[in-house]
Amino acid sequence: MTPCGDTEGDENCIAAIEALFKAYGSLRYGEEVTQLEHALQCGFLAQESGAAPALILAAVLHDIGHMLHPDAAAAVAADQNDAHERLGAQALSKWFGRSVSEPVRLHVQAKRWLCLRHQDYWEQLSPQSKRTLELQGGAMTAPEADEFERLPYSREALQLRRWDDLAKRADHPTPSLSHYLGLARGLLQS
Ligand SMILES: [Fe+2]
């Protein structure tokens, strides 16, 4: 990862994100969409909901950890529990504030929370999400859910999770990646 903090470093961060999508964006995300389409749809849903720029960017980059995995293609293809939310948040925290990295770090926990607190949530999950839920620990217990609710950015993570679940529509128009990279440029930490 490239350190940020000067103009050259900032451009390297943006270039690194762009390179990840170029290398892995065409991998499938479930049946209907690619990783890139999923990311852009998620960001667009956040944008349409009037989310703050940091949360829109978190939505676009929430699965970037899949692409940082040492064997990203195999991890995505095999639906592995690759701890992508931690890998992603760790990388993003070097470039952006916690308002970007924390919703990313918590978006898997948010799924586990929703499975406990909203009874109809599990039923509407895609087959792929149901499979990965088991690998991620299944629904939270009540004490885990209480603890989750007290975490900063848990509400944002829950919003992100809802967009994540919806961002799987074939041939859905969205802004381009460069639109969101422009947003990212404005949120880089110096
Ligand atoms: Fe996702």
Side-chain angles (χ1 to χ4, degrees), residues 29 38 42 62-63 66 84 107 160-161 164-165 168:
Y29 184 98
H38 175 63
C42 202
H62 75 279
D63 277 341
H66 282 314
H84 74 284
H107 83 277
L160 196 164
R161 185 76 232 176
D164 187 5
D165 294 329
K168 300 173 181 180

Side-chain angles (χ1 to χ4, degrees), residues 27-76:
L27 294 174
R28 302 305 300 174
Y29 184 98
E31 300 279 300
E32 304 291 339
V33 292
T34 64
Q35 291 283 329
L36 176 62
E37 288 168 331
H38 175 63
L40 296 178
Q41 286 187 26
C42 202
F44 192 40
L45 285 162
Q47 194 177 331
E48 283 181 315
S49 303
L55 190 53
I56 296 172
L57 186 63
V60 174
L61 300 178
H62 75 279
D63 277 341
I64 203 167
H66 282 314
M67 304 181 198
L68 294 164
H69 192 275
D71 192 351
V76 171

Side-chain angles (χ1 to χ4, degrees), residues 147-162:
E147 198 179 320
F148 176 81
E149 287 157 24
R150 288 194 289 272
L151 294 175
Y153 300 105
S154 58
R155 288 177 86 194
E156 287 82 354
L158 288 165
Q159 286 178 287
L160 196 164
R161 185 76 232 176
R162 294 290 196 180

